[in-house]
Amino acid sequence: MKPPSRTADGLLLVAILGGMFLAMLDQTIVGTALPRITQDLGGGELYTWAVTAYLLTSTITVPLYGRLSDVYGRKPLLLTGIAVFLVGSALCAAAQDMNQLIAFRAVQGLGAGALIPLSLALVADSVPPERRGRTQGAVGGVMASSYVLGPYLGGVFTDQASWHWVFLVNLPVGLAVLAVIWRHLPAGARMPDAGRPDYAGITVLTAAISALLIGLTMKGVDGHVWSDPVVTGPIALALVLLVPFLMIERRAAQPIMPLRLFRNRTYTLVSIASFFSAFCLFSAVVFLPRYFQEALGHSASTSGLLLYPLMVAMVAGSLLAGALLSRTGRSRIWLAAAAVSAAVGSLLFTRLALDTSLQVMSLWMVLIGIGIGPMLSGLTLVIQSAVRPADLGTASSNITFFRQIGGSVALAVAGSLYADTLGDHMGRGLHQAQAAATAAVIPGLAVVGALATLAAVAFLPPPRTAAATAPTRDSPLTSRA
């Protein structure tokens, strides 16, 4: 069989990363467009649900796609996810009211749940262990770019064209990605005795995560506080559902989240680190644009430009960490250094005031970005090196799953802290209060997240050898079905 060309391999890798970029971009690009969307469609009281609907369905489906791809192969699951994502994007652009937009965002999220974990798994499938660090550094750079470019692009499309383009831009890029993957990605191996999917586990996990995210989202909506039943009820239900879920997973032939993986010390510690690293990521990416727009009065697109020090540092940190991990194999020291950098940069934001210069803020953002970047690429590399090749899809999806759950918890806590601090400082004026709220939220969340991440990575065991992690299935970029 004729071997694939280097050009085809490169094109396929770009397409895989492009699909992941689109899925992550849509987590943040809508935020700066939402004010204009609610003006056109009405339903201002449903404002947050346009974001929550996407986050909910994309989070729920992450472990499902990851596990099923380990069993049935990456290609059919990835093609399905891209197709559903594009259909959802087209429907969002055509929405006539907020209820339709929320429903279509949920459809979009159902497809997006495949794009991030399967892209991570395909990179691990395709790249030899000795080169995986550099490649994962590039993956982390793509992730970092999507988080920070989202608010800027959302502002540009809204200011210069129409909010509909926030969704329409996915179509040409997504169709090109779909065509390349259809043409060049091999079908891959599948388990001959896969058995029946874990339908019971899927159902209970879906109900638990839905309840958790709904409860967290209701905090702050219409003035709800943590003690209100609409907040505590769904969260309590999510905790209760953990019991039957664990019982189901212990007995399932093909569990959606294999509990045996948590006996792997590296897997457990990286999952914890991924959860808490989201505190650093989301506090900076969400609340800095809000400060630039509300406290300083900049436009949506300008606020995105002001985030460039953070974005560039995140990309640089991810690439640097990938190269260092690949060259030295010493994950603990570099991940620990990244966590310290994020903690220091976040702590400096306690000094934020309206008269803080952009040059000084840029330095603080660089320290945070250098810390966040390695967490995006390095943690993925460590967890993929610690599991069997047959579990790569599951491991890659679960690190994304825990990061998104951590982000949801962080945003709920941050929203409450922001509102409380804003109210306490209103006597000093609105803009001063907004600066004080930002100065409380970023250090309050990011420092805790960075220190918890530091504690987790400090106990990581030495990495496994490259031979232990060498792929056993055909490499998608080096073979054809």
Side-chain angles (χ1 to χ4, degrees), residues 48-49 52 55-56 59 208-222 224-226 228-239 275 279 402-416:
T48 59
W49 284 98
T52 301
L55 183 64
L56 175 63
T59 301
I209 299 304
S210 299
L212 175 64
L213 295 184
I214 288 171
L216 292 173
T217 302
M218 292 305 297
K219 169 65 185 70
V221 175
D222 296 330
H224 291 307
V225 297
W226 287 109
D228 287 348
V230 294
V231 178
T232 57
I235 294 175
L237 176 61
L239 295 175
F275 177 89
F279 285 40
F402 286 118
R403 183 183 294 122
Q404 292 191 187
I405 294 296
S408 301
V409 173
L411 289 178
V413 174
S416 179

Side-chain angles (χ1 to χ4, degrees), residues 29-46:
I29 193 172
V30 174
T32 47
L34 269 178
R36 187 73 55 81
I37 291 174
T38 53
Q39 287 179 14
D40 289 354
L41 300 184
E45 70 280 2
L46 302 173

Side-chain angles (χ1 to χ4, degrees), residues 18-35:
M20 183 180 72
F21 178 81
L22 285 179
M24 302 193 77
L25 188 73
D26 270 66
Q27 293 181 359
T28 57
I29 193 172
V30 174
T32 47
L34 269 178

Side-chain angles (χ1 to χ4, degrees), residues 255-346:
I256 192 68
M257 189 174 290
L259 300 183
R260 59 177 168 78
L261 290 177
F262 290 96
R263 294 196 293 268
N264 182 322
R265 178 175 156 194
T266 299
Y267 179 90
T268 301
L269 288 172
V270 170
S271 297
I272 293 170
S274 182
F275 177 89
F276 282 105
S277 68
F279 285 40
C280 307
L281 174 65
F282 281 85
S283 61
V285 168
V286 172
F287 286 93
L288 281 175
R290 185 171 185 176
Y291 170 76
F292 290 137
Q293 292 183 51
E294 295 182 353
L296 300 184
H298 293 295
S299 68
S301 53
T302 300
S303 71
L305 288 174
L306 293 175
L307 280 175
Y308 262 49
L310 178 68
M311 181 192 73
V312 172
M314 287 170 68
V315 174
S318 177
L319 294 172
L320 179 62
L324 291 172
L325 287 172
S326 179
R327 178 173 299 177
T328 68
R330 301 175 64 185
S331 55
R332 280 182 297 184
I333 185 172
W334 303 119
L335 291 174
V340 170
S341 178
V344 171
S346 303

Side-chain angles (χ1 to χ4, degrees), residues 62-338:
V62 159
L64 173 62
Y65 281 117
R67 188 58 181 160
L68 291 181
S69 76
D70 280 338
V71 177
Y72 299 107
R74 314 275 188 238
K75 184 172 183 176
L77 274 299
L78 186 56
L79 290 175
T80 299
I82 295 172
V84 173
F85 177 79
L86 293 179
V87 169
S89 297
L91 291 173
C92 286
Q96 300 299 306
D97 57 51
M98 279 297 287
N99 288 320
Q100 288 185 14
L101 180 66
I102 291 168
F104 298 152
R105 282 283 282 170
V107 173
Q108 196 183 28
L110 287 174
L115 301 183
I116 301 172
L118 298 193
S119 298
L120 294 174
L122 280 167
V123 170
D125 286 339
S126 310
V127 179
E130 65 273 10
R131 291 171 45 206
R132 203 173 287 166
R134 293 186 181 90
T135 306
Q136 286 295 351
V139 170
V142 171
M143 297 168 71
S145 301
S146 66
Y147 277 122
V148 183
L149 282 175
Y152 172 66
L153 292 178
V156 168
F157 287 135
T158 303
D159 292 343
Q160 304 300 324
S162 164
W163 63 263
H164 299 85
W165 281 99
V166 169
F167 305 106
L168 290 174
V169 71
N170 293 331
L171 299 183
V173 178
L175 288 172
V177 168
L178 186 70
V180 172
I181 291 174
W182 178 279
R183 172 68 179 85
H184 294 290
L185 182 66
R190 54 180 291 171
M191 294 183 184
D193 54 346
R196 191 177 68 170
D198 179 19
Y199 293 119
I202 293 168
T203 301
V204 176
L205 180 64
T206 298
I209 299 304
S210 299
L212 175 64
L213 295 184
I214 288 171
L216 292 173
T217 302
M218 292 305 297
K219 169 65 185 70
V221 175
D222 296 330
H224 291 307
V225 297
W226 287 109
S227 58
D228 287 348
V230 294
V231 178
T232 57
I235 294 175
L237 176 61
L239 295 175
V240 169
L241 288 173
L242 279 178
V243 176
F245 176 71
L246 294 175
M247 295 174 63
I248 291 169
E249 296 306 279
R250 288 180 61 186
R251 294 175 171 82
Q254 293 295 337
I256 192 68
M257 189 174 290
L259 300 183
R260 59 177 168 78
L261 290 177
F262 290 96
R263 294 196 293 268
N264 182 322
R265 178 175 156 194
T266 299
Y267 179 90
T268 301
L269 288 172
V270 170
S271 297
I272 293 170
S274 182
F275 177 89
F276 282 105
S277 68
F279 285 40
C280 307
L281 174 65
F282 281 85
S283 61
V285 168
V286 172
F287 286 93
L288 281 175
R290 185 171 185 176
Y291 170 76
F292 290 137
Q293 292 183 51
E294 295 182 353
L296 300 184
H298 293 295
S299 68
S301 53
T302 300
S303 71
L305 288 174
L306 293 175
L307 280 175
Y308 262 49
L310 178 68
M311 181 192 73
V312 172
M314 287 170 68
V315 174
S318 177
L319 294 172
L320 179 62
L324 291 172
L325 287 172
S326 179
R327 178 173 299 177
T328 68
R330 301 175 64 185
S331 55
R332 280 182 297 184
I333 185 172
W334 303 119
L335 291 174

